[in-house]
């Protein structure tokens, strides 16, 4: 089954404790992206990647890191999480090109205390 | 202000009623996407429009992209409780698939 998976689905942590949210897709997509969703703000893009070893900042990259060592994986790293990073996070992937559907993962709900 | 404005922000309708959700941009919309989201869950792709004047339908949901490609509407005919959720529009405002911008969503409640 074609899908985007994320782990963990739920995470409660404390300020400053490094964490990684994994994202994996099995569709051989070149493009992958991370979003955060907050009430009233919709989805905002954090980082995206056009291919292996190619990453770029989205609209809200501060406090986040990503890597793309393999085509299928695109982990999101929070080196020192803060409470304002409490949010619902989505990973997405698609083929390169303007008119290709983005497939979304199920989301990771992160709470930083 | 948001680059993609959705209206209304929330909508409560009686089952069986028709409804329309709008997505408006001050820039040209490239590859306009409509997604549905159940609260706190992932996004389900509904349809994508790319050409001005284009209209697509799936079951009781119809989406249109106006000729100037700056506004899209999503119309649901004879709404059902299963239509309830958050509807999000997304678009590549910069003419590139690298960065998609999303509206803040429309929360739809359908009363049985």
């Amino acid at each position: 089954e074609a899908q985007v998976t994320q782990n963990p689905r739920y995470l409660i942590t404390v300020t400053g404790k490094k964490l990684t949210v994994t994202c994996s897709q099995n569709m051989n997509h070149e493009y992958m992206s991370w979003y955060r969703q907050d009430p009233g703000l919709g989805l905002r893009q954090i980082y995206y990647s056009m291919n292996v070893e190619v990453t770029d900042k989205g609209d809200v990259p501060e406090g986040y890191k990503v890597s793309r060592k393999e085509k299928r994986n695109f982990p999101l790293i929070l080196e020192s999480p803060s409470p304002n990073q409490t949010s619902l996070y989505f990973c997405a992937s698609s083929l390169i090109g303007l008119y290709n559907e983005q497939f979304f993962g199920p989301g990771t709900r992160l709470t930083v205390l | 202000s948001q680059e993609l404005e959705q209206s209304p922000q929330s909508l409560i309708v009686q089952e069986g009623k028709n409804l329309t959700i709008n997505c408006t941009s001050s820039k040209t919309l490239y590859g306009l996407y409509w997604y549905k989201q159940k609260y706190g869950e992932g996004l389900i792709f509904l349809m994508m429009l790319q050409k001005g004047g284009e209209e697509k339908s799936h079951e009781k949901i119809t989406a249109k992209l106006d000729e100037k490609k700056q506004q899209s509407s999503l119309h649901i005919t004879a709404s059902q409780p299963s239509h309830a959720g958050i509807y999000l529009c997304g678009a590549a405002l910069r003419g590139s698939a690298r960065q998609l911008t999303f509206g803040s969503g429309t929360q739809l409640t359908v009363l049985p």
Side-chain angles (χ1 to χ4, degrees):
Chain A
E1 181 189 354
Q3 60 182 351
V4 179
T5 56
Q6 295 179 227
N7 282 292
R9 294 289 314 279
Y10 302 91
L11 179 60
I12 300 174
T13 189
V14 295
T15 298
K17 187 176 181 181
K18 181 180 178 179
L19 66 92
T20 299
V21 183
T22 64
C23 173
S24 183
Q25 50 92 6
N26 62 1
M27 295 167 279
N28 203 36
H29 286 164
E30 300 91 354
Y31 178 91
M32 297 186 75
S33 180
W34 276 103
Y35 298 87
R36 60 178 288 174
Q37 186 179 36
D38 302 289
L41 297 175
L43 282 166
R44 293 180 293 168
Q45 190 177 49
I46 304 171
Y47 269 95
Y48 63 93
S49 169
M50 300 294 279
N51 214 325
V52 175
E53 302 292 0
V54 180
T55 63
D56 212 341
K57 296 177 181 179
D59 295 320
V60 288
E62 293 78 21
Y64 304 95
K65 285 175 59 177
V66 292
S67 69
R68 189 88 181 274
K69 292 185 172 60
E70 304 168 284
K71 197 172 187 179
R72 64 184 294 126
N73 297 322
F74 190 44
L76 179 69
I77 303 156
L78 283 73
E79 293 270 359
S80 183
S82 61
N84 64 13
Q85 292 178 298
T86 293
S87 187
L88 180 58
Y89 291 86
F90 288 102
C91 179
S93 74
S94 74
L95 294 170
I96 290 288
L98 190 55
Y99 301 117
N100 290 299
E101 174 193 347
Q102 284 206 8
F103 291 81
F104 283 80
T108 294
R109 186 167 292 282
L110 171 66
T111 301
V112 183
L113 301 175
Chain B
S1 65
Q2 297 254 344
E3 289 184 287
L4 272 186
E5 295 280 349
Q6 276 188 246
S7 62
Q9 289 187 328
S10 64
L11 193 54
I12 302 174
V13 300
Q14 203 70 41
E15 183 177 357
K17 295 294 186 185
N18 302 336
L19 63 103
T20 299
I21 298 169
N22 292 304
C23 178
T24 303
S25 171
S26 57
K27 302 176 183 177
T28 299
L29 299 170
Y30 297 95
L32 191 286
Y33 305 81
W34 282 102
Y35 286 86
K36 179 186 175 185
Q37 181 184 22
K38 291 285 190 183
Y39 180 74
E41 297 181 11
L43 278 69
I44 301 166
F45 174 76
L46 294 175
M47 55 194 86
M48 187 269 286
L49 307 165
Q50 60 185 83
K51 298 176 184 175
E54 187 175 9
E55 179 175 322
K56 287 187 178 177
S57 294
H58 176 68
E59 297 179 342
K60 295 184 178 179
I61 301 176
T62 300
K64 301 178 186 179
L65 182 60
D66 78 355
E67 290 287 344
K68 294 183 180 179
K69 294 178 68 176
Q70 290 193 288
Q71 184 175 42
S72 179
S73 61
L74 186 82
H75 184 76
I76 298 177
T77 304
S79 58
Q80 300 169 351
S82 60
H83 287 129
I86 300 170
Y87 289 82
L88 290 152
C89 66
L93 297 182
R94 299 166 182 83
S96 167
R98 296 183 178 200
Q99 287 187 270
L100 288 190
T101 299
F102 284 85
S104 57
T106 295
Q107 172 86 53
L108 172 63
T109 302
V110 181
L111 301 175

